[in-house]
Amino acid sequence: MINDIKQLEPQAVFSYFAQICAIPHISGHEEAMGQYLMRFAATHNLPATQDEAGNVIIEKKATAGREDHPLVILQGHQDMVPAKRPDSTHNFLTDPICPVVRGHLIYADGTSLGADDGIGMAMILALLADDTLQHGPLRAIFTTAEETSMKGACNLSAASLQGKYLLNLDSEEDGYLFIASAGSQDLQVIFTADPLSAPQEISNNLVSLKLHLTALSGGHSGTDIHLGRANAITLMASLLLSQSAEFDFYLESAHGGTVRNAIANQATFCLAVAQDELEAFKQALLIEFARFKLLYQDTDPHMRLEMVQAEPTALFSFADTIECLSLIENLPCGPVRPFSEDKSVVETSCNVGIIATQDNVITISLMARSLNDFALDLISDKVASLCYLSDKTEVESPHREGCWQSPANTPLIATLKKHYHAVTGREMKVTALHAGLETAAFVAKNPNLQLVSLGPTVNHPHSADEHCDILAVQTCYETLRRTLAEI
């Protein structure tokens, strides 16, 4: 069995992927990755530039006799989503990702792998370094902050996108060509509780309980949203509300999730309950949690609930506690509509990604996605309408990314499909992706681009279960090589 990924085929691709894994590069901290890409270009005598947004652009001249072929842009993003198991001590700012080979799959050791989009970057670097490849003019673009703000794509110069073809290598399903991707709307729901009346008198009779809900499967809020996985934030709200008819309790704080575009796989809620009801309250929570475990036994078999006693701090009133938890429970979370042209694809969804507390203010970060701009408006309006029911709640919409759709029949698509069939004997499917890609920003700057997105299979990105299919990398890379040799 091969344990060193640098020994996997194609060795050029996996050698670069190993180097990428060794460099910390979570969103917002891509400086070392940018330096690595610039060194790569210098080593291979390829002209390169880096703009103010951190985007790295590398040029490669056409092989002799192909100078008149159209420019092909190869594009991936530098950053990755940090996700790890509860028992992991990994520091994403300093520690390398440790790839582990299991059969025909590559995982990481307790963290997200970063194959989204490290494997796309690795394939681009291998193509740039291959002096045996016959090709027309090539341009490689490595953008920044794709997983958070898409800062790199939004600030990329229009001049860098003046070409005929663009291959985005950031999708994650072997055998699929994506010609449409979802737009997204960030939503911030802000709940402000009133100061608790007679806090000292009430708190003297209370004990504080810290609830840790951990080890849920999580995953990508686009590509995994249809899998029916539990969301730790909304599940915790439902768990507590199930006890509101029998017990009085007072919320102190709520924290959970890591990024808005990942299904929350952990949450910690602190609350206070009467001393003489503590044991009954805990027992009732465990009974209800057992029902949730049974409900999600197929998707989240390892979820667990821990309860730790603590000292009471600032408390919400019981009314504010119930109002806040009810708001959380009723926020849209999961698929909303299927795509009319392909029912196997989600058109519209919403994810409750992060919850945080500061003093008496709880902030909930959501990401709505849709392949239809109007449907994206509707889901955003639904969140706003729900918030209008409470005078303690406000909603903000800090950032929006547009949808993307390109023609399904182009010479580029025909060439990719032909060579994929030659490599695998299978037909490529042309469809839409319920996840955000940078392609919408690219087409806005050059509407004449023939643009598609493809990539090898990467399952459960944005989670500690992320893994990449080695055989699919081989298939994708060979398809790319043959396509570049023809167009």
Side-chain angles (χ1 to χ4, degrees):
M1 177 183 292
I2 296 175
N3 293 314
D4 182 356
I5 65 168
K6 295 190 295 295
Q7 302 303 313
L8 297 171
E9 294 291 344
Q11 287 192 16
V13 174
F14 286 109
S15 177
Y16 285 118
F17 184 55
Q19 294 174 38
I20 289 167
C21 288
I23 302 169
H25 59 284
I26 63 172
S27 301
H29 299 273
E30 302 101 323
E31 296 86 357
M33 185 60 68
Q35 294 167 7
Y36 164 77
L37 292 170
M38 293 298 288
R39 289 195 303 271
F40 167 90
T43 299
H44 292 276
N45 297 312
L46 300 173
T49 58
Q50 187 171 25
D51 64 20
E52 291 185 1
N55 299 314
V56 174
I57 302 170
I58 303 175
E59 309 280 353
K60 187 174 184 181
K61 293 180 180 180
T63 50
R66 291 174 174 259
E67 293 84 358
D68 60 345
H69 284 227
L71 174 70
V72 178
I73 300 171
L74 304 168
Q75 186 269 324
H77 63 83
Q78 300 178 40
D79 57 320
M80 65 170 284
V81 168
K84 62 182 180 180
R85 300 196 191 286
D87 58 350
S88 172
T89 60
H90 187 90
N91 184 338
F92 283 100
L93 296 178
T94 58
D95 298 342
I97 299 297
C98 299
V100 178
V101 179
R102 299 175 188 166
H104 65 94
L105 302 174
I106 304 174
Y107 289 78
D109 185 12
T111 71
S112 46
L113 177 62
D116 173 15
D117 185 32
I119 200 67
M121 292 176 63
M123 288 192 292
I124 294 172
L125 294 177
L127 290 167
L128 291 175
D130 186 355
D131 291 330
T132 68
L133 179 64
Q134 297 294 305
H135 58 83
L138 298 179
R139 175 177 297 147
I141 299 178
F142 303 94
T143 51
T144 56
E146 187 271 349
E147 301 289 5
T148 51
S149 65
M150 294 203 182
K151 176 185 75 174
C154 292
N155 288 282
L156 193 65
S157 71
S160 64
L161 292 164
Q162 298 311 304
K164 184 172 183 180
Y165 303 125
L166 189 147
L167 295 167
N168 168 274
L169 298 179
D170 187 29
S171 52
E172 292 142 358
E173 198 163 357
D174 178 42
Y176 285 76
L177 279 177
F178 296 98
I179 55 152
S181 66
S184 64
Q185 175 71 67
D186 289 347
L187 299 163
Q188 295 266 30
V189 174
I190 302 163
F191 181 91
T192 304
D194 293 329
L196 180 65
S197 60
Q200 189 62 44
E201 179 181 333
I202 294 174
S203 63
N204 287 340
N205 301 314
L206 302 176
V207 291
S208 184
L209 194 62
K210 187 174 290 187
L211 307 180
H212 298 289
L213 179 59
T214 60
L216 282 74
S217 297
H220 192 294
S221 72
T223 57
D224 292 332
I225 200 71
H226 64 291
L227 297 178
R229 294 177 174 179
N231 183 297
I233 297 169
T234 57
L235 193 155
M236 185 74 89
S238 298
L239 178 65
L240 290 172
L241 283 170
S242 70
Q243 306 306 314
S244 60
E246 185 172 352
F247 300 95
D248 287 353
F249 51 87
Y250 307 87
L251 190 63
E252 299 178 35
S253 64
H255 295 274
T258 52
V259 290
R260 78 207 188 296
N261 56 354
I263 301 167
N265 68 347
Q266 52 79 27
T268 298
F269 282 36
C270 296
L271 52 93
V273 65
Q275 173 75 61
D276 59 356
E277 293 185 332
L278 176 63
E279 292 307 318
F281 180 69
K282 289 167 64 176
Q283 187 62 32
L285 282 178
L286 289 174
I287 291 171
E288 189 69 12
F289 179 65
R291 292 174 178 159
F292 279 109
K293 283 205 71 172
L294 185 62
L295 179 64
Y296 291 103
Q297 61 183 330
D298 293 332
T299 60
D300 297 86
H302 306 298
M303 74 161 75
R304 62 176 182 267
L305 178 68
E306 299 176 55
M307 293 181 275
V308 181
Q309 198 165 323
E311 291 297 322
T313 57
L315 306 178
F316 288 22
S317 68
F318 180 69
D320 280 356
T321 294
I322 300 307
E323 187 171 332
C324 182
L325 292 175
S326 298
L327 170 68
I328 296 168
E329 184 183 46
N330 283 283
L331 288 169
C333 190
V336 176
R337 271 173 54 94
F339 187 39
S340 59
E341 297 180 28
D342 184 349
K343 298 295 185 182
S344 67
V345 176
V346 176
E347 178 208 78
T348 305
S349 73
C350 192
N351 180 59
V352 179
I354 308 172
I355 190 167
T357 307
Q358 184 171 6
D359 299 324
N360 63 325
V361 178
I362 285 183
T363 302
I364 309 162
S365 299
L366 301 89
M367 174 180 269
R369 299 180 189 265
S370 184
L371 289 156
N372 182 293
D373 279 315
F374 178 60
L376 190 59
D377 291 337
L378 290 177
I379 196 69
S380 301
D381 290 345
K382 182 175 182 178
V383 172
S385 298
L386 181 62
C387 292
Y388 292 152
L389 296 175
S390 167
D391 59 6
K392 300 178 187 297
T393 309
E394 299 177 2
V395 62
E396 298 175 354
S397 304
H399 184 72
R400 179 162 177 153
E401 294 291 340
C403 308
W404 157 63
Q405 188 160 356
S406 287
N409 298 301
T410 66
L412 175 60
I413 290 173
T415 305
L416 284 163
K417 290 179 69 175
K418 179 179 76 172
H419 290 300
Y420 182 83
H421 185 269
V423 171
T424 67
R426 304 191 300 268
E427 296 295 332
M428 259 187 155
K429 182 177 181 180
V430 179
T431 187
L433 178 68
H434 186 68
L437 296 172
E438 296 157 294
T439 43
F442 301 152
V443 171
K445 296 176 182 182
N446 181 3
N448 296 317
L449 271 175
Q450 289 189 34
L451 193 155
V452 297
S453 179
L454 72 158
T457 299
V458 178
N459 287 316
H460 312 315
H462 300 189
S463 81
D465 290 322
E466 179 183 3
H467 55 275
C468 179
D469 189 307
I470 297 165
L471 300 177
V473 174
Q474 297 170 358
T475 295
C476 185
Y477 186 63
E478 183 58 27
T479 300
L480 286 168
R481 291 186 81 259
R482 295 187 183 204
T483 299
L484 291 178
E486 178 175 337
I487 58 177

